[in-house]
Amino acid sequence: MQHSADGQSDGTATVRFPQPGFLASVFRDLGVDGTTEPDGDGPSVPGPAGAVGRGGASHRTADPGATGQGTADPGTADRGAADSGPSSSGPADPEEAVAAHARAAALTHHRTVTVRAEHDRLADLLRRAALPVSAMDFESQLRHYERRPYQADGPDTAEDQEPRWEHFAPAGPASADPDSGPTRRLLDSGYQRELAQARLAHQRALREWRTRHAEAGRPAVDESRRAHEAAEEARARAVREYNDSLEECRRAYRLAEPAAVESLLERALAAAETATQDLPAPCRAVFRPLTRTAVLDLDLPPLDLVPSLTGYRLAPDGDIVPVPRPPADRATDYLRLVARLALRALQAADAVDTDEILAGVVLNGWLRESGAAEPLCLLSVDADRDALARTRLLPPDTPYEEHDDEGVYADAEQDEALVRLRHLGAAVTPDPYGRVGVEPAARAGAAVPAAPDLSANEFAQLVRDLLTRGGLAEWSVRLRGPAGLVATGEGAPGSALPGRWVVWASRGAAPVTAEQIATLAEAVSEESAERGLLLTTGHFTDEALDLTGEEGHRHIHLVDGDGVRELARTHLGLPLTAGR
């Protein structure tokens, strides 16, 4: 309270607050403009009776109608005190910022968990793709029939006799004292209870037996029994017919009929897919009786099956940023899966061929994408029976392991499934996501293909069959490639091809020249052979034909494409289609 010189109150009160901007904030909350004036002791607030503070300074009164003390004009109010407190349009609420950050962190975690679930599914597919394949040969497909007994007969119809009291009578009571005589039975209450229960059980069993035998001769029971016997006979007949048809298929399979061989192979391939039914990877089979080779077309899973992200992270500015995987890691995981699917198909085809009808298997892995004009071959295997027998086709026991401390390329090179495919001479794409394809070893087409449609193993098998049936034994392949082979053989003295031979078989499109004839003559001399045979699916140049007519090259014999087709028709019974 301020006092005048005479000691009376002048009506002005001075109130002190610990913070200069506190009153201004209170006035703003109440919707009233207030002013403060700082002094040496703190801010003063005008009282209700006046607006003049100490030192004669003028102040605005709380009453806007008061005169002589200044008007309370909001437009000319003192801005100093108002600016000292927080404004109504200040920064956002810190709690809301924390809540927004928490929501972003939770969403980041949720998306990362989803990505990890995709990785776990891939690991599970790799594990299941490595499971052993069940045998699907003819023996395992045979069905067996066991007659089901008629329900009214019970399990022991033949021994169903009238219940006898001897089977229910309880044993007599034991002696109370070993040294004394037997206890009287009629005086033993426990024995009497057992005897009464046994009589009830015997009477119940006898009544059931008589009821069953009385009902056995009724017409309804006889009709039910006849229906049961007819149903059982129908089941037995169906099993016999199925086994007979299976035996017929087996006979056709042993005769290498294409339909029977393909049916058996596709059943085995379908059975191998049961472990990964949620992974679309069908496989079709075509059998070529000319070379006794099965060509398998395996549809590879889509590329997006392998996760492309490691997870998600929360950026400092609050954005959710995906963390991509290295492209090499993703390509390696896809090739791991493809290798296991290929090994599983090869194992199924090899395991079902118990009679050794197949001389080899060609497997092509095709990537079929919507919108693509043609499928892309990412994997091709050309393996003969000997190579399949030497290679353990069962996928590795631990198909999926993460190596964080090793490079992805080292993992790809050391992956057991891929190593086994490379031992079979498989061609595998280096970059599936770059759509880098490989040349298929052979294409599934006609049962009697042309020479260019044969794989390297098929062509080698064809040449061997033609010459061994012509009398050339002890066949030994020295060199083999996509363009042909070089082998040696020896025929018996009385055969069509007596002596030791060096065979050069070519299926190139270019004609055979005189230089190749001279090279074969040198090989005959180095191998200490007596004759040489140059077999081609094409034709010879005139210079090559003239060279073999000379004295020094008369031991070189030539067979052109027409001759090869004639040999196939004569010795194999199947004409080789003319080349394109």
Side-chain angles (χ1 to χ4, degrees):
M1 181 74 69
Q2 300 292 335
H3 296 271
S4 62
D6 56 1
Q8 300 297 323
S9 173
D10 58 0
T12 302
T14 301
V15 183
R16 302 183 185 276
F17 293 93
Q19 297 180 0
F22 174 76
L23 189 58
S25 63
V26 172
F27 281 2
R28 280 194 304 273
D29 294 339
L30 296 176
V32 179
D33 284 339
T35 59
T36 60
E37 180 182 0
D39 57 9
D41 298 330
S44 61
V45 180
V52 179
R54 292 178 300 176
S58 62
H59 296 272
R60 288 184 301 164
T61 62
D63 185 5
T67 59
Q69 306 297 332
T71 58
D73 185 4
T76 60
D78 185 5
R79 301 287 190 257
D83 293 341
S84 62
S87 63
S88 59
S89 60
D93 188 359
E95 296 182 358
E96 179 62 28
V98 172
H101 182 81
R103 289 193 296 269
L107 183 58
T108 303
H109 175 71
H110 175 72
R111 292 182 179 179
T112 302
V113 169
T114 303
V115 173
R116 293 310 306 171
E118 295 177 358
H119 283 268
D120 294 341
R121 178 175 181 268
L122 175 63
D124 182 62
L125 287 175
L126 287 167
R127 178 190 61 82
R128 287 186 285 137
L131 295 177
V133 176
S134 301
M136 283 296 295
D137 54 0
F138 288 100
E139 296 296 333
S140 63
Q141 298 182 59
L142 288 175
R143 296 179 181 176
H144 303 280
Y145 167 73
E146 294 183 1
R147 182 186 179 279
R148 295 177 298 182
Y150 184 59
Q151 295 181 356
D153 293 343
D156 299 322
T157 303
E159 300 179 359
D160 189 13
Q161 300 178 357
E162 181 179 357
R164 301 173 62 86
W165 166 248
E166 290 80 1
H167 299 155
F168 296 86
S175 176
D177 186 0
D179 298 332
S180 62
T183 305
R184 297 179 60 182
R185 297 184 177 181
L186 296 178
L187 300 179
D188 189 344
S189 59
Y191 173 74
Q192 293 295 331
R193 286 194 298 270
E194 294 179 2
L195 185 63
Q197 294 175 358
R199 286 174 177 171
L200 290 176
H202 175 249
Q203 292 175 2
R204 185 183 304 109
L206 186 61
R207 184 170 56 254
E208 293 177 355
W209 180 84
R210 290 173 178 174
T211 302
R212 185 168 60 251
H213 278 258
E215 294 179 351
R218 293 190 305 178
V221 176
D222 294 341
E223 183 65 25
S224 176
R225 186 187 301 275
R226 284 192 295 270
H228 173 78
E229 295 296 336
E232 291 302 305
E233 181 61 28
R235 289 182 66 246
R237 183 170 59 256
V239 171
R240 288 195 301 269
E241 292 176 355
Y242 172 81
N243 290 338
D244 292 343
S245 64
L246 195 63
E247 188 62 30
E248 183 65 20
C249 292
R250 186 172 188 173
R251 183 195 63 79
Y253 161 74
R254 289 175 174 175
L255 296 176
E257 296 184 6
V261 177
E262 292 170 3
S263 175
L264 181 64
L265 289 175
E266 291 190 349
R267 283 201 300 268
L269 294 170
E273 298 179 30
T274 56
T276 55
Q277 294 182 354
D278 54 337
L279 178 63
C283 189
R284 293 167 295 276
V286 173
F287 177 68
R288 293 175 172 172
L290 177 67
T291 57
R292 295 186 294 117
T293 299
V295 182
L296 309 180
D297 279 346
L298 174 65
D299 287 352
L300 301 181
L303 295 173
D304 57 3
L305 181 67
V306 178
S308 60
L309 299 178
T310 302
Y312 288 85
R313 64 179 179 85
L314 189 60
D317 57 356
D319 292 339
I320 302 176
V321 181
V323 181
R325 299 183 65 196
D329 287 3
R330 193 183 184 197
T332 299
D333 282 347
Y334 184 79
L335 292 180
R336 282 173 175 163
L337 181 60
V338 166
R340 280 155 181 78
L341 296 178
L343 284 178
R344 186 177 67 179
L346 291 174
Q347 183 203 5
D350 182 68
V352 78
D353 186 32
T354 54
D355 293 322
E356 298 185 359
I357 299 300
L358 300 179
V361 176
V362 175
L363 184 141
N364 298 320
W366 299 94
L367 177 64
R368 305 180 188 274
E369 295 181 300
S370 60
E374 294 183 356
L376 182 65
C377 184
L378 300 181
L379 170 73
S380 186
V381 185
D382 182 14
D384 56 14
R385 170 166 290 281
D386 295 337
L388 293 176
R390 292 191 305 266
T391 305
R392 184 173 179 266
L393 299 176
L394 187 66
D397 297 332
T398 56
Y400 184 78
E401 296 180 357
E402 293 184 354
H403 305 276
D404 296 334
D405 55 344
E406 299 180 4
V408 64
Y409 291 106
D411 287 347
E413 292 298 329
Q414 296 174 7
D415 184 75
E416 190 173 357
L418 290 171
V419 169
R420 293 177 187 177
L421 283 182
R422 292 189 176 96
H423 286 167
L424 294 173
V428 183
T429 175
D431 185 8
Y433 291 91
R435 274 63 173 180
V436 180
V438 298
E439 185 65 25
R443 294 181 180 270
V448 184
D453 297 329
L454 299 176
S455 67
N457 285 328
E458 282 188 284
F459 184 72
Q461 184 66 33
L462 175 63
V463 174
R464 177 177 180 174
D465 290 344
L466 291 177
L467 298 182
T468 53
R469 295 194 182 189
L472 197 62
E474 298 183 9
W475 183 263
S476 176
V477 177
R478 302 302 177 87
L479 296 174
R480 182 172 62 186
L485 62 92
V486 176
T488 60
E490 188 169 351
S495 64
L497 301 173
R500 183 172 175 81
W501 290 72
V502 175
V503 179
W504 183 354
S506 172
R507 58 170 181 167
V512 178
T513 62
E515 289 77 10
Q516 293 172 288
I517 301 296
T519 302
L520 177 59
E522 295 176 2
V524 171
S525 177
E526 292 176 359
E527 291 288 339
S528 300
E530 301 175 9
R531 296 176 178 84
L533 175 63
L534 206 157
L535 181 148
T536 179
T537 58
H539 62 281
F540 300 92
T541 62
D542 294 338
E543 293 78 5
L545 295 175
D546 294 340
L547 183 60
T548 55
E550 297 180 0
E551 184 66 26
H553 294 83
R554 290 182 178 177
H555 62 293
I556 304 298
H557 301 266
L558 306 179
V559 178
D560 59 4
D562 294 336
V564 172
R565 285 187 288 274
E566 184 61 30
L567 289 175
R569 182 181 297 104
T570 302
H571 296 293
L572 303 180
L574 293 172
L576 183 65
T577 306
R580 295 186 295 270

